[in-house]
Amino acid sequence: MKEKKFDITEDNIFADLGLEDAEEMLIRSDLLSEVVSIIRSSLLTQKEIAKILGISAPKVSSLMTGKISDFSNDTLMHYLALLGCNIEIRVMPSRPRLSRSTKKGAVTVRRRSVRRNKARTTR
């Protein structure tokens, strides 16, 4: 039996797959993952989440099943804000001057360090 070989070239699966917009896809994936995590920990129904986000229940289902192409980064950040998250975008130039040798910058989604308690409190 022939052994399968796998090469992991980057920390970005989308880059490993050779996708042109790999960085954008990774950011979107991280944002989507965070939205899904918050929704799951809320213990609310899809109907309740749909009302909070101002979308249909089938659209919530698309979120929960990871249909990444259905949502833009802006939309996912909007959902995170509606779910009570603070979103911070910082631009930090790595070099003071732009030149022909300037390297491409990076975008990072930093997740909160403490996950919310899954227990639902009574009101």
Side-chain angles (χ1 to χ4, degrees):
M1 186 173 198
K2 194 173 184 178
E3 187 177 319
K4 292 182 181 181
K5 272 188 146 181
F6 297 94
D7 291 327
I8 299 175
T9 56
E10 305 216 9
D11 289 334
N12 182 339
I13 185 67
F14 303 105
D16 292 344
L17 294 171
L19 299 177
E20 217 173 279
D21 56 350
E23 284 187 41
E24 162 113 12
M25 295 296 292
L26 182 61
I27 294 164
R28 195 179 318 163
S29 173
D30 288 344
L31 291 169
L32 179 63
S33 176
E34 197 62 24
V35 170
V36 169
S37 175
I38 291 167
I39 291 171
R40 283 192 179 132
S41 68
S42 75
L43 302 177
L44 298 173
T45 66
Q46 285 193 5
K47 189 175 179 181
E48 291 169 316
I49 293 295
K51 186 173 181 180
I52 291 167
L53 299 181
I55 59 177
S56 66
K59 197 73 170 175
V60 174
S61 180
S62 289
L63 272 171
M64 300 307 291
T65 56
K67 294 191 178 168
I68 194 168
S69 61
D70 288 358
F71 305 96
S72 69
N73 290 345
D74 289 343
T75 299
L76 293 168
M77 286 189 282
H78 178 69
Y79 293 164
L80 286 167
L82 291 173
L83 293 168
C85 293
N86 294 323
I87 298 168
E88 178 179 311
I89 298 173
R90 289 197 272 167
V91 178
M92 303 177 331
S94 59
R95 293 184 174 210
R97 287 185 277 164
L98 187 61
S99 69
R100 288 189 178 109
S101 64
T102 300
K103 291 184 179 178
K104 188 175 174 184
V107 178
T108 305
V109 175
R110 292 188 183 176
R111 296 171 180 215
R112 63 188 183 273
S113 58
V114 178
R115 294 284 181 198
R116 294 181 181 173
N117 186 355
K118 289 192 177 196
R120 190 174 187 181
T121 58
T122 56
R123 295 180 191 177

